[in-house]
Amino acid sequence: MTKKLLFLFDTDPVPSVFDTVVGYDGGADRIIGYGGVTRENVGALVDGCIYTRGPKEKQYTAIFVGGGDMTAGEAVFKAVKKRFFSNFRVSAMLDSNGSNTTAAAGVALLAKASSLKGKKAVVLAGTGPVGMRAAAMLNIEGAEVAITSRQKARAEAAAKAIQERFGFTPAAIEAADNAARAQAVKGAQIVFAAGAIGVPLLDETDWQNDPTIELIADCNAQPPLGVGGVEATDKAKERHGKIVIGALGLGGLKLKLHRECVGKLFDAADQVFDCENIYAQAKELA
């Protein structure tokens, strides 16, 4: 029987252990990881994937693009797809920094808890990989989206990148400290915290008595958490009259989604998993 081979193209110097483990759990028979992959050097790696097996066997070769830098990952993913032609292609998935699967799990659980259409959503620390993907998925649900950053220029640059990739421009908000972030979420119904590990973004006192906020998701699993008063294990739990989701609460769906998408890579030779269809898969699983 033809082995299911998953090639991990990582933009970081060392291929991700996390992505390797989940790849095996997703059904790959063998994972071969390459670190330091760039759009300039990925071509030869792709050629090795597309020229070695016959048309009926190509579905058992797949590519996963990862690494901590979404911009670099997108560049590599674009170069990978550009290398394909005719039936010389294999399935490929982009999930730099776990951004697509993490954001998809969080937004899908929010959408399961309540309709997001027409609601105002603020993505705290929205310039990182997870935040930018979450902004796109919230827009898919019909929410009015804003992203925050400690620096206005970074927020505007991220908003421009989102517009170029997804065709809509979220509002860019400078929020350099807790007070500014508390002000940024006033009038919002949805708060999605996508900050780095150990970086608190919103105090409990800034949301517990806010009559407008309905839904909160926090992607930070290690204390101090991103949103005060939210436990990492919360999964659509009611706190202060709001529905809250913690990082471990969405983590189960994130891992299930990651494994599911890896498995689907081997269903055919032309699967392409990025933001939109990863999110669609998350909604089905949620």
Side-chain angles (χ1 to χ4, degrees):
M1 183 176 179
T2 305
K3 297 291 185 182
K4 296 178 180 178
L5 304 180
L6 182 65
F7 289 88
L8 176 57
F9 296 165
D10 202 306
T11 58
D12 293 340
V14 179
S16 167
V17 172
F18 184 99
D19 291 339
T20 301
V21 173
V22 182
Y24 277 118
D25 290 346
D29 294 316
R30 179 75 187 275
I31 297 178
I32 304 91
Y34 293 87
V37 178
T38 67
R39 62 184 176 186
E40 288 80 18
N41 65 21
V42 75
L45 299 175
V46 177
D47 289 350
C49 293
I50 64 177
Y51 288 120
T52 47
R53 286 175 161 175
K56 294 182 179 180
E57 298 175 322
K58 279 186 169 62
Q59 73 180 76
Y60 301 112
T61 300
I63 293 170
F64 182 100
V65 176
D69 187 331
M70 173 53 82
T71 301
E74 285 183 320
V76 169
F77 198 60
K78 184 177 180 179
V80 167
K81 293 185 292 181
K82 189 174 181 179
R83 206 78 175 182
F84 298 159
F85 66 97
S86 185
N87 65 345
F88 289 89
R89 64 183 66 243
V90 297
S91 292
M93 177 176 172
L94 173 64
D95 199 27
S96 295
N97 206 34
S99 53
N100 276 326
T101 50
T102 300
V107 177
L109 289 174
L110 291 175
K112 180 182 178 182
S114 178
S115 172
L116 309 185
K117 186 176 178 61
K119 294 180 179 178
K120 181 179 179 181
V122 176
V123 182
L124 300 175
T127 61
V130 175
M132 292 173 70
R133 281 325 205 226
M137 294 168 189
L138 288 163
N139 177 72
I140 289 172
E141 288 295 330
E144 177 188 341
V145 186
I147 59 173
T148 76
S149 175
R150 285 172 294 180
Q151 299 175 349
K152 182 71 170 180
R154 288 191 64 190
E156 290 175 340
K160 182 180 179 181
I162 291 169
Q163 198 286 325
E164 291 174 351
R165 169 62 178 81
F166 298 103
F168 87 100
T169 307
I173 300 174
E174 180 178 7
D177 53 28
N178 282 347
R181 287 187 288 271
Q183 185 62 36
V185 302
K186 287 189 180 301
Q189 289 81 43
I190 305 161
V191 177
F192 193 104
I197 290 174
V199 179
L201 297 172
L202 196 66
D203 292 336
E204 185 174 6
T205 54
D206 294 326
W207 64 267
Q208 63 180 351
N209 296 318
D210 190 309
T212 305
I213 293 175
E214 302 172 8
L215 302 161
I216 298 174
D218 182 10
C219 295
N220 184 8
Q222 297 184 23
L225 302 184
V227 179
V230 174
E231 296 294 332
T233 54
D234 287 344
K235 186 175 181 180
K237 183 178 180 64
E238 184 175 332
R239 293 187 183 276
H240 305 302
K242 294 87 167 68
I243 300 299
V244 301
I245 300 168
L248 298 181
L250 66 85
L253 178 57
K254 180 264 187 294
L255 286 171
K256 185 177 181 180
L257 174 63
H258 191 152
R259 292 192 292 263
E260 185 85 3
C261 290
V262 168
K264 286 182 177 296
L265 289 174
F266 300 108
D267 288 347
D270 59 355
Q271 306 290 312
V272 178
F273 283 96
D274 198 352
C275 178
E276 293 87 349
N277 52 359
I278 289 177
Y279 180 60
Q281 187 66 32
K283 290 197 69 175
E284 288 186 19
L285 294 176

